[in-house]
Amino acid sequence: MSHERDDSLWVKPTNPDPGQTLRPKLHGRFLHITDIHPDPHYLYDASASSACHRKKPRKETQRAGYYGTPFSDCDSPFRLTNLTLDFLDKNWASEIDFVIWTGDNARHDNDRKLPRTMREIYELNRKGVPVVPSLGNNDVWRPNDIINHFSSLWNSFVPFSSYQVFRRGAYYSVEVIPGEIAVISLNTMYFYDSNKAVGGCEWIEPDDPGNLQFDWLEVQLRTYRQRGMQVWMSGHVPPSPGNYFPECYVRYVELALRFQDTILGHLFGHMNNDHFFLLEAGDLQFPSESTVVPADVSGTRDWLYETLVKDFGDLPKKAKTEHDDYGVINVAPSVVPNPYLPSFRIFTYNITHAHNSASLKKDKKKKGGKEPKRKHGHRRGDGDKETLCKKKGYENSWRCRLQEPWHSDPEAPSRVNTLWSPLGYAQYYLPEGWVVNKTKAPKFELEYLTHSPDVLHPGVTEAKDGFQYPIPLKQLPKALRSGNVTSSKYAPYRLADLTIPSWVGLARRLGDPLKAKLRKRFKKYMYMGQGL
């Protein structure tokens, strides 16, 4: 059986000339897909303990399913990856404006009897990658053996202006809507604390690969801001204290908050489960000696959930919240059913008056005014920064070196629903029964959406002809196709949009122990119902 296929959706170049003025019709949607992990050695009915590579042991009860093995350590058979790409090509290719793919297009190296080879990794990436791919930790043979191979593999996706930078470090930016929206694709391997070949962004090492990438990122964000553009940040490993070297994490948080008025959001993968978390200004402060170290729950299955609801519960009250101090990281679940179920997301964003964006930019510049000042209140870290930065062991921390003013704006698309603001997403998945069924091809189903049901259809005073449906009606379950629906099991969060205030509000609700029903739904989506 041949695994070759026509992936026209995924290999089409989308790096237009910067001077291009023609713009295709916008749909106000894009796809986020991550962690596909196709495995050419996957064997149907093999034992799960062999990574689904061998029949033995025969007595083992968990066997490899036809389209994958949910809740296991097995990667994706080509049947699943092809099914997913075919489904997206048929159902979504004509409904979206761009694709963000956040890495890991090779199988895990979890079978010592069948080690992953360099040739296998690069050949899998040749089979078809989305429009704006990011490098994943399983896409490389050695963590930094990337430049020559991937500069050739991704030549169609990297704009000419970014090509030399990509050859240096496998990071780049693409204007997915020329002159309006860019996607920055980061090489998070330079920040990932499992990569012992890099220096960890230490201030005393300016030529460390992570520092060089952050220096480049700062220039990119400053340039896009000067041009009045908006940016989606994307990468494989999400920025958290548990994933990044400490100094790399500090640099990411500082840039995310400094350019809050330019960054629409942050999209990542790697973790393989559905969740979000907040970047906070307090992370840039030194912890005080009285800071309580949280209990170690990393050995439990629910450690991530427990950590998040604890963090959310520590948020300040609504009246005391300064939204300048926050950024939101969205981590999407994976296509590979390892260890959960195959999924992808369709994001919607505001394109109202997109045809008139040039004049809107001029109006904003005319309003001008002074730059919003960085606010210094409501920090979780409360160590004496001024004193500590004079002490040995502290003075060379990035916390003591980052003094640039922040750019935040209550009217920015990341803060209020306006042109280019993210509005919501719909998450689709393959239920467990579909994945293991050999007799019938699986169908992706809506798992949930962040929107409120009443925004899925035109209001009483709105004309149907001109209404921009967030999700095409044919991609909704029958229960949501009626305009009379006001509540639904598919809409647990009922967010007005995906701006920072909306996410902080959801986090605050999840941090409330009295919101047991909402917490249960959040946990269910995080673990795809496993063990609940």
Side-chain angles (χ1 to χ4, degrees):
M1 177 181 175
S2 172
H3 300 305
E4 298 297 328
R5 64 194 303 282
D6 176 17
D7 292 315
S8 57
L9 171 63
W10 313 100
V11 299
K12 183 167 54 181
T14 57
N15 43 8
D17 184 282
Q20 179 177 333
T21 56
L22 294 178
R23 179 189 299 166
K25 177 187 175 182
L26 295 177
H27 299 88
R29 306 183 197 96
F30 68 88
L31 165 68
H32 180 200
I33 190 170
T34 192
D35 293 83
I36 300 175
H37 290 290
D39 184 357
H41 307 289
Y42 185 97
L43 182 64
Y44 169 62
D45 199 39
S47 63
S49 64
S50 70
C52 296
H53 291 160
R54 291 173 294 280
K55 294 287 186 178
K56 296 180 180 180
R58 273 292 183 184
K59 293 182 179 180
E60 185 174 306
T61 56
Q62 189 176 20
R63 314 301 296 182
Y66 195 68
Y67 287 94
T69 309
F71 310 118
S72 75
D73 291 331
C74 298
D75 284 328
S76 303
F78 276 106
R79 290 187 195 91
L80 175 60
T81 57
N82 289 345
L83 174 90
T84 303
L85 297 181
D86 287 341
F87 180 87
L88 292 169
D89 197 8
K90 179 180 178 180
N91 294 276
W92 287 102
S94 62
E95 301 284 0
I96 56 178
D97 301 322
F98 54 94
V99 180
I100 296 177
W101 176 68
T102 47
D104 269 3
N105 201 29
R107 68 181 176 91
H108 291 93
D109 199 9
N110 59 357
D111 184 356
R112 294 183 179 180
K113 293 184 179 180
L114 196 62
R116 197 177 55 190
T117 65
M118 185 184 299
R119 177 183 176 85
E120 177 187 324
I121 295 163
Y122 298 135
E123 286 301 316
L124 287 172
N125 279 279
R126 283 184 191 276
K127 286 188 177 294
V129 290
V131 174
V132 189
S134 298
L135 193 71
N137 59 300
N138 283 286
D139 291 328
V140 292
W141 175 251
R142 301 180 190 88
N144 307 301
D145 181 19
I146 52 177
I147 309 303
N148 292 329
H149 293 280
F150 278 90
S151 61
S152 174
L153 292 175
W154 292 356
N155 182 56
S156 297
F157 304 104
V158 180
F160 180 77
S161 59
S162 295
Y163 193 67
Q164 291 304 315
V165 172
F166 183 86
R167 285 181 60 85
R168 183 183 74 184
Y171 43 87
Y172 64 102
S173 62
V174 178
E175 292 188 28
V176 290
I177 301 178
E180 303 292 351
I181 295 180
V183 176
I184 293 179
S185 174
L186 297 172
N187 176 6
T188 57
M189 291 307 297
Y190 289 157
F191 314 143
Y192 190 29
D193 63 8
S194 293
N195 182 2
K196 305 308 179 184
V198 295
C201 306
E202 297 288 339
W203 182 81
I204 59 175
E205 296 185 36
D207 293 330
D208 171 72
N211 278 328
L212 292 176
Q213 182 171 190
F214 277 123
D215 293 343
W216 168 86
L217 176 58
E218 181 177 0
V219 173
Q220 293 292 300
L221 291 171
R222 184 184 302 119
T223 301
Y224 285 129
R225 184 174 187 275
Q226 290 171 347
R227 295 176 58 193
M229 292 181 60
Q230 293 292 302
V231 173
W232 280 99
M233 300 289 292
S234 70
H236 183 60
V237 181
S240 71
N243 286 327
Y244 281 18
F245 291 104
E247 292 294 271
C248 296
Y249 179 67
V250 168
R251 289 208 70 180
Y252 191 97
V253 173
E254 192 274 338
L255 285 173
L257 300 185
R258 194 201 311 178
F259 291 96
Q260 190 203 70
D261 66 346
T262 303
I263 298 173
L264 290 167
H266 308 255
L267 305 180
F268 291 85
H270 180 64
M271 304 295 286
N272 289 18
N273 55 7
D274 171 2
H275 63 286
F276 75 97
F277 60 91
L278 304 177
L279 303 177
E280 303 183 33
D283 294 329
L284 301 178
Q285 298 288 85
F286 288 107
S288 65
E289 294 181 0
S290 61
T291 299
V292 177
V293 178
D296 182 11
V297 294
S298 59
T300 67
R301 196 207 67 141
D302 296 341
W303 69 269
L304 182 59
Y305 168 78
E306 298 291 348
T307 300
L308 290 176
V309 295
K310 171 65 169 61
D311 282 348
F312 296 158
D314 290 340
L315 288 169
K317 300 295 184 182
K318 184 176 181 180
K320 296 183 177 181
T321 297
E322 176 53 72
H323 289 115
D324 290 4
D325 289 351
Y326 295 95
V328 183
I329 305 296
N330 275 276
V331 183
S334 58
V335 170
V336 64
N338 171 356
Y340 303 112
L341 294 171
S343 307
F344 65 85
R345 286 178 175 176
I346 300 293
F347 278 81
T348 60
Y349 63 100
N350 190 329
I351 57 173
T352 306
H353 305 304
H355 62 283
N356 199 31
S357 59
S359 61
L360 291 175
K361 284 183 183 179
K362 290 180 181 179
D363 290 342
K364 191 171 183 180
K365 287 182 179 179
K366 286 179 181 178
K367 290 179 182 178
K370 296 181 179 179
E371 286 286 350
K373 297 294 183 180
R374 173 178 172 178
K375 302 297 174 88
H376 293 277
H378 314 303
R379 305 291 176 85
R380 290 204 191 174
D382 58 356
D384 188 344
K385 191 171 180 179
E386 185 175 349
T387 301
L388 289 173
C389 286
K390 296 176 182 178
K391 293 184 177 182
K392 187 176 181 180
Y394 288 93
E395 76 275 16
N396 288 331
S397 168
W398 278 108
R399 285 183 170 93
C400 298
R401 304 289 176 171
L402 298 170
Q403 304 295 335
E404 295 293 323
W406 289 4
H407 309 296
S408 57
D409 182 355
E411 297 183 1
S414 64
R415 294 278 294 274
V416 67
N417 184 1
T418 186
L419 178 62
W420 311 129
S421 293
L423 299 178
Y425 67 75
Q427 185 156 293
Y428 291 82
Y429 81 123
L430 285 180
E432 184 178 2
W434 279 117
V435 179
V436 298
N437 192 338
K438 183 180 179 181
T439 60
K440 195 173 182 180
K443 293 182 181 180
F444 280 90
E445 300 177 4
L446 178 69
E447 183 182 16
Y448 75 94
L449 38 75
T450 62
H451 309 76
S452 178
D454 54 8
V455 304
L456 300 176
H457 302 272
V460 177
T461 60
E462 294 178 282
K464 289 186 178 181
D465 292 342
F467 181 72
Q468 181 71 31
Y469 286 87
I471 306 297
L473 293 181
K474 62 182 179 181
Q475 303 303 341
L476 289 173
K478 291 182 179 179
L480 288 177
R481 293 179 187 175
S482 168
N484 299 322
V485 178
T486 57
S487 64
S488 169
K489 66 177 183 179
Y490 295 106
Y493 300 146
R494 302 178 65 89
L495 297 181
D497 50 49
L498 298 186
T499 60
I500 291 170
S502 292
W503 280 117
V504 172
L506 176 59
R508 190 178 288 108
R509 282 190 283 154
L510 289 168
D512 183 352
L514 298 179
K515 302 290 185 181
K517 186 176 180 180
L518 184 66
R519 282 187 170 192
K520 185 176 181 179
R521 295 294 292 273
F522 179 66
K523 186 176 182 180
K524 176 184 176 182
Y525 298 140
M526 179 178 289
Y527 299 114
M528 294 284 185
Q530 185 188 32
L532 300 179

